[in-house]
Amino acid sequence: MSWPPPITLTGTHVSLVPLSLEHADDLSEASAEGDLWKAWYTSIPKPADVRAEIERRLGLQEAGSMLPFAVLTPDGKAVGMTTYMNIDPVHERVEIGSTWYRKSVQRTGLNTECKLMLLTHAFEELDCIAVEFRTHFLNRQSRTAIERLGARLDGVLRSHQRSADGALRDTTVYSILPHEWPAVKNGLMFKLSRDI
C-alpha cells in the first residue's frame, strides 16, 4: 500500500478530499477568478489546463510521490488544490505544497484550517519526522503565509529549478519538526478561532 494512503480530512469550514477529474469544472472556475494563473512566480493552471493538471497530479500519486487533495467548502464546491508532495516513505517526510485557492477565499481562515488538518494528520497519524514547505524566493505572499503557520526557515536553494518561462528559481525552504508541532498546533488553533 502507498504511504500515505488517500484520505478525506474534514474540518468545520473546509474538507480535503482525494482529487479527481470530477473537480475540474469547479477548479477551472476557481483558477479564472482573479486570473490566478497569470502570477509568474507560482504555478497555477490556466482554466483550460485544469483537467491536465489534475491528471498530472494523479499520475504523480500513482508513482508514489504525491497525494493530491481538492479543497471543498461545506457546500461541496472545490475552491482549490493542495498536496502532500516529495513524499519520502522511508524517512517519513512530506512536503505540503502545490497549494492554491480561488481569490475569494484567500486571506481567510480556510488556509489555516487546511494546514491544521494536513499537519495534524502528518504528525499525529503518519508520525512524520518533518513536514516541509517550499516556495519561490520572490513569492512574498506565500512566504508570509508559511511563516504565519509557524514553520521555521531552513534556507534558500539557489538556482533550484527552472520556472515555466525557463528562468532560474531560488526556492525558500521551511519546515516544522515533531517537537515544534504542539506549539505550532496551538498557534494554528488560536488563529483559526479568530480567522473564521
Side-chain angles (χ1 to χ4, degrees):
M1 178 186 266
S2 65
W3 184 91
I7 188 168
T8 294
L9 303 172
T10 304
T12 304
H13 305 283
V14 67
S15 294
L16 301 176
V17 302
L19 182 66
S20 77
L21 289 170
E22 293 175 10
H23 301 116
D25 290 343
D26 283 352
L27 293 171
S28 292
E29 180 184 308
S31 171
E33 183 182 293
D35 293 334
L36 296 179
W37 52 273
K38 290 183 178 178
W40 65 271
Y41 51 78
T42 191
S43 181
I44 297 172
K46 294 178 184 178
D49 296 338
V50 164
R51 182 170 291 276
E53 175 60 11
I54 292 171
E55 289 172 345
R56 184 188 76 82
R57 290 182 187 212
L58 293 176
L60 291 171
Q61 179 179 351
E62 188 69 27
S65 65
M66 180 180 279
L67 181 59
F69 298 91
V71 179
L72 305 184
T73 54
D75 62 1
K77 188 156 186 80
V79 295
M81 293 191 232
T82 193
T83 74
Y84 285 139
M85 57 190 284
N86 294 320
I87 293 170
D88 182 347
V90 173
H91 298 105
E92 298 174 325
R93 297 176 64 99
V94 296
E95 175 187 342
I96 296 173
S98 291
T99 302
W100 63 271
Y101 308 113
R102 72 181 305 143
K103 185 100 171 137
S104 60
V105 300
Q106 292 178 10
R107 294 189 174 93
T108 70
L110 181 135
N111 183 55
T112 304
E113 189 168 41
C114 285
K115 295 305 189 288
L116 177 60
M117 290 190 297
L118 289 167
L119 287 164
T120 299
H121 186 67
F123 286 118
E124 297 178 17
E125 301 299 325
L126 301 176
D127 294 320
C128 286
I129 65 168
V131 176
E132 285 186 4
F133 299 87
R134 296 181 180 200
T135 191
H136 193 298
F137 179 77
L138 297 176
N139 187 343
R140 296 298 302 158
Q141 181 179 341
S142 182
R143 289 177 62 186
T144 299
I146 292 168
E147 291 167 5
R148 183 177 175 269
L149 295 173
R152 294 196 182 179
L153 177 65
D154 291 330
V156 178
L157 301 174
R158 298 180 67 214
S159 293
H160 176 239
Q161 297 175 314
R162 290 201 181 273
S163 297
D165 65 0
L168 290 173
R169 165 189 156 142
D170 292 346
T171 300
T172 310
V173 182
Y174 296 85
S175 67
I176 299 171
L177 304 179
H179 71 276
E180 299 164 341
W181 170 234
V184 170
K185 182 177 183 178
N186 285 338
L188 289 173
M189 291 173 68
F190 177 74
K191 287 179 181 70
L192 188 60
S193 72
R194 298 170 62 95
D195 283 347
I196 295 181

